[in-house]
């Protein structure tokens, strides 16, 4: 009798439980509405995964592909489960999520602040690296405003090693110079500087007092009010699949508004040539023209493509005659712009001839999102024509996002 009584109680309890709490796995189906192969991160609401698996927030789980292999995933700062999905043209891919402890995941995307290098914030993925300049640099008086590009031709993480190699040898090089050992100093500098390619890429992109690759700026009287270095930062995501950082800037004046503050959230995903940028301004009391774009250098002001919603450029590097390669940069505007155009300087300074930009009318307190990115002719994009194709495919994919269902 006790057995039957216990069985009835257990049966009633099981039927009373929500079905989601009884699920031993969750299937995520990713559908590609586009007629080309797709490889990108998809986002799943994390709360849906916990709810359907019937596990508590923060408990671990495993994600497997259709072959039963574990795949890397990431939980983002804004409550999303990120999965790297490969989907055939007009096809679908399934992933299965089960409770459990996942294997260690390889970090593909990451970044950090480098106070030893005047507060640079540097980040990278398996294609390219970037950096934004910090308050310690601003205190030196150096005019470096925009976003820098570090090219690489390896999927491995390189930025930290480059900083360590470069900075740890500065003192030795200076000692050699003071001792009159100029040739030895030059050899050591050549062997350790990240401004030379040692087989893994280098820093050869000129920024200075410009937008660099992808920074925004408000316009006053038709002239850019360029932001200086960030004031504070917060790293929101740090791999293995996505890096996200929030940068907040010092107040500045524009027109009658005397206390305007710029904010940016920048994120970079595994496998992507483009960063996502969301920018907004506090303290504006009326609409204001805003641009975002790339610096154009005097050595080549013709290799620019300005489309309805993109600006692309084949940058000649800081030494085109000796480098003999190109850095491809671009800005994409899936939310639209009033125009894309060149804004050229009457008197170019240090080779900065102007900018290729997209122009919008910024509304006070709105968050505007666009994308900026790069590639290298010695790595994954060989020609400017190929860069045009890749960038347009990326833009088209933004208009036709992968569809995600959870069941």
């Amino acid at each position: 009798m006790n057995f039957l009584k216990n069985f009835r109680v257990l049966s009633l309890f099981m039927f009373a439980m929500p079905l989601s709490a009884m699920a031993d796995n969750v299937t995520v189906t990713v559908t590609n509405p586009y007629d080309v192969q797709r490889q990108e991160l998809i986002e799943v609401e994390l709360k849906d995964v916990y709810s359907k698996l019937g596990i508590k927030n923060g408990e671990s789980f495993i994600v497997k592909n259709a072959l039963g292999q574990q795949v890397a995933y990431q939980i983002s700062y804004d409550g999303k489960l990120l999965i790297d999905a490969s989907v055939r043209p007009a096809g679908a891919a399934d992933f299965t999520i089960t409770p459990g402890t996942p294997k260690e995941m390889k970090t593909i995307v990451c970044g950090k602040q480098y106070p030893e290098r005047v507060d640079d914030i540097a980040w990278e993925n398996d294609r390219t690296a970037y950096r934004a300049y910090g308050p310690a640099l601003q205190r030196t008086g150096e005019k470096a405003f925009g976003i820098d590009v570090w090219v690489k031709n390896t999927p491995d993480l390189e930025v930290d090693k480059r900083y360590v190699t470069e900075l740890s040898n500065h003192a030795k090089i200076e000692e050699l110079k003071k001792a009159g050992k100029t040739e030895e100093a030059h050899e050591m500098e050549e062997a350790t500087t990240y401004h030379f390619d040692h087989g893994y890429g280098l820093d050869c992109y000129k920024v200075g007092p410009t937008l660099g690759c992808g920074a925004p700026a408000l316009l006053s009287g038709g002239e850019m009010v360029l932001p200086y270095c960030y004031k504070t930062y917060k790293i929101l995501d740090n791999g293995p699949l996505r890096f996200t950082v929030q940068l907040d800037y010092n107040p500045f004046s524009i027109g009658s508004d005397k206390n305007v503050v710029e904010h940016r959230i920048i994120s970079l995903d595994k496998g992507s040539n483009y960063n996502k940028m969301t920018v907004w301004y506090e303290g504006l009391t009326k609409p204001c023209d805003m641009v975002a774009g790339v610096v154009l250098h005097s050595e080549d002001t013709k290799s620019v493509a300005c489309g309805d919603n993109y600006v692309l450029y084949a940058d000649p590097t800081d030494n085109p005659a000796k480098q003999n390669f190109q850095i491809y940069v671009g800005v994409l505007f899936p939310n639209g712009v009033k125009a894309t155009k060149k804004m050229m300087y009457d008197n170019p300074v240090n080779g900065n001839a102007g900018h290729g930009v997209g122009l919008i009318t910024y509304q006070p307190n709105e968050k505007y999102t666009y994308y900026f990115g790069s590639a290298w002719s010695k790595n994954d994009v060989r020609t400017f024509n190929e860069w045009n194709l890749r960038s347009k495919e990326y833009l088209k994919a933004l208009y036709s996002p992968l569809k995600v269902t959870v069941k």
Side-chain angles (χ1 to χ4, degrees):
M1 291 295 294
N2 286 338
F3 170 80
L4 291 175
K5 182 179 179 181
N6 290 339
F7 179 78
R8 292 192 192 100
V9 171
L10 179 61
S11 299
L12 288 171
F13 173 73
M14 289 178 66
F15 282 111
M17 290 174 66
L19 291 177
S20 60
M22 297 173 60
D24 57 1
N25 67 72
V26 169
T27 299
V28 176
T29 299
V30 185
T31 306
N32 181 4
Y34 194 10
D35 59 357
V36 300
Q37 181 73 30
R38 300 281 287 273
Q39 177 80 39
E40 59 199 68
L41 298 193
I42 58 104
E43 298 182 349
V44 181
E45 290 291 342
L46 188 61
K47 59 181 175 56
D48 290 345
V49 174
Y50 287 133
S51 173
K52 291 180 185 298
L53 280 180
I55 62 176
K56 297 177 181 178
N57 289 358
E59 289 191 30
S60 61
F61 52 83
I62 295 168
V63 180
K64 293 183 179 181
N65 61 20
L67 294 170
Q69 298 172 297
Q70 279 199 45
V71 298
Y73 67 84
Q74 180 177 334
I75 295 173
S76 68
Y77 81 98
D78 54 351
K80 302 292 194 300
L81 168 62
L82 310 177
I83 303 173
D84 186 23
S86 178
V87 194
R88 287 169 50 82
D94 288 333
F95 297 90
T96 303
I97 306 174
T98 57
T101 302
K103 295 190 295 187
E104 185 176 352
M105 303 178 197
K106 181 180 179 180
T107 298
I108 308 296
V109 189
C110 68
K112 71 176 189 177
Q113 187 197 50
Y114 289 87
E116 65 270 36
R117 220 311 295 194
V118 289
D119 294 340
D120 289 351
I121 295 284
W123 65 98
E124 66 180 308
N125 67 358
D126 45 334
R127 293 186 181 273
T128 317
Y130 303 86
R131 67 173 169 177
Y133 303 112
L137 180 68
Q138 182 170 338
R139 288 193 293 270
T140 71
E142 182 179 340
K143 303 292 185 182
F145 299 158
I147 296 169
D148 195 15
V149 175
W150 283 13
V151 294
K152 51 188 282 190
N153 57 0
T154 172
D156 298 331
L157 299 174
E158 283 294 317
V159 167
D160 205 58
K161 288 184 285 185
R162 289 188 195 179
Y163 273 116
V164 169
T165 303
E166 164 101 5
L167 298 176
S168 64
N169 285 282
H170 277 181
K172 298 175 187 176
I173 292 168
E174 289 305 312
E175 286 177 12
L176 289 170
K177 288 179 179 178
K178 288 179 181 178
K181 299 178 181 180
T182 306
E183 187 172 339
E184 289 181 44
H186 176 73
E187 288 177 357
M188 179 174 284
E189 188 170 26
E190 188 177 90
T192 59
T193 179
Y194 53 58
H195 294 285
F196 279 22
D197 182 11
H198 303 294
Y200 308 102
L202 69 159
D203 171 24
C204 57
Y205 182 70
K206 289 194 298 185
V207 180
T210 75
L211 298 178
C213 176
L218 297 178
L219 296 184
S220 179
E223 299 292 327
M224 293 184 199
V225 181
L226 291 168
Y228 217 135
C229 303
Y230 72 86
K231 179 183 180 182
T232 61
Y233 78 98
K234 184 177 182 181
I235 292 176
L236 305 173
D237 294 315
N238 208 1
L241 303 178
R242 174 178 290 172
F243 172 82
T244 306
V245 62
Q246 179 168 330
L247 302 177
D248 303 300
Y249 288 76
N250 285 295
F252 65 97
S253 297
I254 183 165
S256 59
D257 294 322
K258 306 302 182 184
N259 197 33
V260 178
V261 177
E262 178 181 306
H263 305 277
R264 304 177 191 173
I265 293 180
I266 302 170
S267 64
L268 178 65
D269 288 354
K270 172 185 179 293
S272 178
N273 286 99
Y274 277 94
N275 297 261
K276 181 180 180 181
M277 167 80 83
T278 299
V279 59
W280 69 100
Y281 295 89
E282 288 183 299
L284 280 177
T285 59
K286 53 185 176 296
C288 183
D289 281 344
M290 186 191 95
V291 295
V294 295
V295 60
L296 307 180
H297 291 119
S298 300
E299 295 88 347
D300 186 350
T301 59
K302 295 181 179 179
S303 298
V304 187
C306 293
D308 289 340
N309 48 8
Y310 63 84
V311 176
L312 307 174
Y313 179 49
D315 190 277
T317 81
D318 60 1
N319 194 342
K322 293 183 179 180
Q323 302 284 15
N324 283 302
F325 53 72
Q326 293 177 315
I327 303 172
Y328 304 118
V329 293
V331 186
L332 310 178
F333 303 98
N335 295 308
V337 288
K338 290 199 300 185
T340 59
K341 62 179 182 177
K342 293 183 182 181
M343 293 180 66
M344 308 304 291
Y345 297 142
D346 293 332
N347 299 299
V349 178
N350 296 326
N352 298 320
H355 290 86
V357 301
L359 170 68
I360 72 162
T361 299
Y362 176 80
Q363 301 296 328
N365 299 314
E366 78 168 347
K367 291 186 176 181
Y368 182 76
T369 296
Y370 63 93
Y371 294 77
F372 70 92
S374 64
W376 187 24
S377 64
K378 290 183 69 175
N379 185 24
D380 55 340
V381 175
R382 300 292 182 171
T383 69
F384 191 44
N385 286 338
E386 189 178 339
W387 180 235
N388 271 264
L389 176 61
R390 178 169 294 192
S391 299
K392 290 173 185 176
E393 290 281 8
Y394 191 96
L395 190 56
K396 189 174 179 180
L398 292 174
Y399 291 131
S400 302
L402 295 172
K403 298 180 180 178
V404 180
T405 58
V406 182
K407 55 188 177 182

